[in-house]
Amino acid sequence: LLSLGTGTTSEFDKTHTAEETAKWGALQWMLVIQQMTEAASSYMTDYYLSTVFQDLHSQNNYLRVQENALTGTTTKADGASEANMELLAQVGENLLKKPVSKDNPETYEEALKRFAKLLSDRKKLRANKASY
């Protein structure tokens, strides 16, 4: 299973003072709650899938690809300008060089190549079985 995320922002890494948050209206609080819920949902889905694949001794058959530190215009779902697309392409290029996780030093580039080979090998195997 190759799970492709849309990315997350490190916005929640910022801290806010009580004075700042006291000025927030209902809309600001609803947006914060929505973002926290979405982030938690994405994290929990990844956690559960990862756990299931580990329990089945198939952890090499699951890969979640997601940048967790988007900033600026790259965080906008509707930011389809040419400049933003170029920024997102650069984010993807940089992500390829990052390790998959603290526990897995394999880079995303290596992991995706491994996945492509695995899928190709399985397709060849199915084709060979079908020709009998």
Side-chain angles (χ1 to χ4, degrees), residues 37-95:
T37 303
E38 288 173 1
S41 176
S42 175
Y43 171 78
M44 291 308 295
T45 300
D46 178 43
Y47 175 79
Y48 288 130
L49 285 170
S50 178
T51 301
V52 167
F53 276 81
Q54 286 176 13
D55 286 348
L56 296 172
H57 304 288
S58 298
Q59 56 269 27
N60 288 333
N61 293 334
Y62 175 72
L63 177 64
R64 172 75 174 171
V65 179
Q66 174 156 295
E67 174 57 65
N68 291 315
L70 294 176
T71 59
T73 59
T74 62
T75 65
K76 306 296 181 201
D78 61 350
S81 69
E82 186 173 334
N84 200 47
M85 292 295 104
E86 289 175 12
L87 283 173
L88 287 169
Q90 189 60 54
V91 166
E93 290 290 328
N94 294 341
L95 183 60

Side-chain angles (χ1 to χ4, degrees), residues 28 32 59 87 124:
Q28 179 67 32
V32 168
Q59 56 269 27
L87 283 173
K124 288 176 189 172

Side-chain angles (χ1 to χ4, degrees), residues 2 60 63 65 93 96-97 100 106-121:
L2 179 59
N60 288 333
L63 177 64
V65 179
E93 290 290 328
L96 288 172
K97 305 301 180 205
V100 170
E106 179 181 45
T107 66
Y108 281 105
E109 182 174 27
E110 294 164 339
L112 289 167
K113 285 179 181 177
R114 179 177 50 78
F115 254 69
K117 179 162 178 21
L118 178 70
L119 292 172
S120 176
D121 290 347

